[in-house]
Amino acid sequence: MFELPSTYDIDIPGMEKRFRDLSLKLHPDRFAQADAKERRLSLEQTTSLNEAYKTLKDPSRRAFYLLKLHGVDLDREDAGAQKDMPAEFLEEVIELREELEGAMASRDLTRAQAMAVDVTARQREALTEAAEALRALQDTSDDTALVKKASHALGRVRYFTRFLEQVEEFEEEVVT
C-alpha cells in the first residue's frame, strides 16, 4: 500500500506524504455519486489505509507487525512465543504485579506512579531490543534466534503496556 520495504526503520515523512496522497485519492467523499460497489470499495480501502498508517507510524505496532511477517503473531492467544517467555521475566512479572496490587490496596498513588516510571524505562529498553533484532533479521532470511529474541522483547513490551494501562486506571480511580 505504501510501497515501503519491510523494515523497522522507515521513512516516516515519506510514508506520511504517501498516506495523504492515498487518502485524497481514496476518500469516500470522492465516491459519493458512484455506485454502491465503488462506495463500499472506497470505504474498505480507506479503512485499510488508516489501519496500515496507524501500524507503521507507531514504532511498537510496527515492530509487532514485522514480527508477524516473520511468522509470530503475539495477538493470538495460542502464540507459542507467549508460552515460551523466559522464567526470569515471568518472575519479574509476578513481583511487579504483587507490588502494584499492594500499592493499589493501600491507595498509594505515589508508589504506583514511581513504578510506572520504572516500567516505562523497561518498556523502552524492550522495544529497543526488539528493534535491534528486527533490524538484524533484515540481513538474514531465516534466523530463529533473532525471531525468538524479538518475540521475547515484544512480549515484554506488551506486558509493560498492560501494566502502565492498569496504573492509569488506578490514577483515574484515585483522582475521581
Side-chain angles (χ1 to χ4, degrees):
M1 183 171 279
F2 289 101
E3 301 173 0
L4 294 169
S6 299
T7 62
Y8 182 78
D9 300 305
I10 60 172
D11 173 19
I12 296 292
M15 189 232 356
E16 289 175 339
K17 181 184 180 324
R18 181 83 174 132
F19 173 72
R20 284 190 301 275
D21 293 345
L22 286 171
S23 292
L24 290 172
K25 180 180 174 185
L26 300 172
H27 197 280
D29 288 349
R30 294 183 56 119
F31 297 88
Q33 303 303 316
D35 64 42
K37 183 178 176 183
E38 287 183 73
R39 287 193 313 262
R40 188 181 69 245
L41 182 60
S42 167
L43 185 60
E44 289 171 359
Q45 289 176 325
T46 299
T47 301
S48 294
L49 177 66
N50 290 336
E51 187 59 34
Y53 177 75
K54 282 193 277 183
T55 298
L56 295 175
K57 179 113 171 123
D58 181 274
S60 182
R61 291 179 72 169
R62 186 169 58 242
F64 277 95
Y65 172 72
L66 287 171
L67 184 62
K68 191 175 180 179
L69 294 179
H70 286 283
V72 179
D73 185 357
L74 292 178
D75 290 331
R76 292 176 46 144
E77 288 298 320
D78 63 335
Q82 291 179 359
K83 297 173 189 165
D84 193 28
M85 292 297 287
E88 304 85 42
F89 176 68
L90 299 175
E91 290 172 17
E92 179 184 351
V93 166
I94 291 169
E95 289 174 15
L96 282 170
R97 174 85 28 226
E98 288 174 353
E99 191 174 340
L100 180 59
E101 287 174 0
M104 292 169 68
S106 62
R107 313 273 302 157
D108 188 348
L109 181 58
T110 302
R111 191 166 128 206
Q113 289 172 328
M115 291 178 69
V117 169
D118 176 55
V119 167
T120 298
R122 293 183 198 192
Q123 182 188 41
R124 272 193 227 110
E125 289 173 11
L127 183 58
T128 299
E129 183 180 322
E132 289 171 2
L134 291 167
R135 286 182 189 112
L137 277 169
Q138 289 175 225
D139 301 328
T140 179
S141 60
D142 182 35
D143 188 326
T144 52
L146 288 171
V147 170
K148 187 174 183 177
K149 183 176 180 181
S151 175
H152 286 175
L154 289 173
R156 293 194 326 265
V157 168
R158 173 153 294 153
Y159 171 75
F160 293 140
T161 299
R162 289 182 186 151
F163 182 93
L164 293 171
E165 289 170 353
Q166 192 171 6
V167 171
E168 283 181 20
E169 290 173 12
F170 177 56
E171 285 174 335
E172 289 176 18
E173 180 184 311
V174 169
V175 172
T176 56

